[in-house]
Amino acid sequence: MTEVVPEVLISEEKIRKRIGELAARISTDYADVDDLIMVGILKGSFIFLADLSRAVTIPRSVDFMALSTYGASESTETDGAVRMIMDLRRNITGKHVLVVEDIVDTGHTLSYLLRNLAARQPASLKTCVLVEKPERREVFTQIDYLGFSIPDVWVVGCGLDWAERFRTLPFIGVVHPGR
Ligand code: 5GP
């Protein structure tokens, strides 16, 4: 079996700089908010949420949800079905909520999540996404703060995995499992 080695797509330095820019915009936009709830979607967003939540300068707290994904493989096939595995600890009614996601691909996961959270009547609901693949979009999803747009490739690192590998890489890399 040949060793899979991710190729750098977005460097650690570029990611750090971009997260700083996003955090500055978020801090300005929510300057009057006294408790922004930053909601990370497990597992993929744990590193992005950790970096982003430490870089914003406004009062904030973090909470987590977990949703089912396509499965623990590199498959990109989905029927768009999304299921919640773990819900938030906090009640978000009347609160300002920022969903922090690692990746938007077809858009089904984020659109499900936004419908689910909107039903709880938060004061505001926005999204911050590290990477998106515009070519793969199947449903419209609202992305308020975006790190990077990427082509249709399988990316790993910064929380993103390939069959549970490579999540803790400090850069965003591309894997070509077939090679
Ligand atoms: P959706 O298609 O609903 O927008 O995204 C579903 C999920 O697919 C994402 O949350 C993520 O877990 C996974 N996914 C899609 N593209 C990639 C990718 O390039 N790399 C990794 N690691 N996960 C991906």
Side-chain angles (χ1 to χ4, degrees):
M1 199 176 111
T2 52
E3 181 61 9
V4 174
V5 181
E7 275 167 29
V8 178
L9 181 68
I10 309 170
S11 70
E12 186 176 358
E13 194 189 330
K14 275 196 186 146
I15 295 165
R16 194 178 315 116
K17 184 165 173 279
R18 190 75 185 119
I19 291 177
E21 290 166 359
L22 293 173
R25 272 179 51 207
I26 291 166
S27 302
T28 303
D29 293 353
Y30 289 93
D32 298 331
V33 169
D34 61 5
D35 179 17
L36 174 66
I37 305 179
M38 302 177 77
V39 172
I41 313 307
L42 295 172
K43 298 176 192 176
S45 76
F46 81 112
I47 288 179
F48 182 40
L49 178 66
D51 289 346
L52 188 72
S53 62
R54 287 180 298 172
V56 296
T57 54
I58 46 162
R60 70 281 191 188
S61 53
V62 296
D63 205 342
F64 292 94
M65 288 174 92
L67 305 175
S68 66
T69 56
Y70 313 155
S73 78
E74 68 280 27
S75 166
T76 55
E77 296 307 312
T78 176
D79 61 6
V82 181
R83 197 166 52 89
M84 192 187 308
I85 298 169
M86 186 188 90
D87 203 351
L88 295 172
R89 298 280 180 97
R90 289 187 65 182
N91 180 351
I92 59 164
T93 304
K95 300 285 185 185
H96 294 274
V97 174
L98 179 65
V99 173
V100 178
E101 254 291 36
D102 51 353
I103 192 161
V104 171
D105 183 24
T106 62
H108 286 287
T109 305
L110 193 58
S111 86
Y112 163 86
L113 198 64
L114 289 175
R115 274 196 313 275
N116 182 297
L117 294 176
R120 306 178 198 197
Q121 299 184 311
S124 71
L125 181 59
K126 286 193 186 184
T127 62
C128 181
V129 173
L130 183 59
V131 289
E132 68 144 353
K133 297 183 196 173
E135 288 166 42
R136 296 256 315 154
R137 193 65 33 82
E138 287 173 12
V139 289
F140 170 78
T141 27
Q142 165 205 338
I143 301 179
D144 298 287
Y145 304 96
L146 174 66
F148 305 93
S149 286
I150 60 166
D152 179 12
V153 289
W154 193 263
V155 283
V156 294
C158 290
L160 291 154
D161 74 314
W162 174 63
E164 290 303 325
R165 291 179 68 194
F166 308 124
R167 275 194 205 281
T168 54
L169 284 179
F171 58 88
I172 292 175
V174 182
V175 288
H176 304 281
R179 275 194 205 165

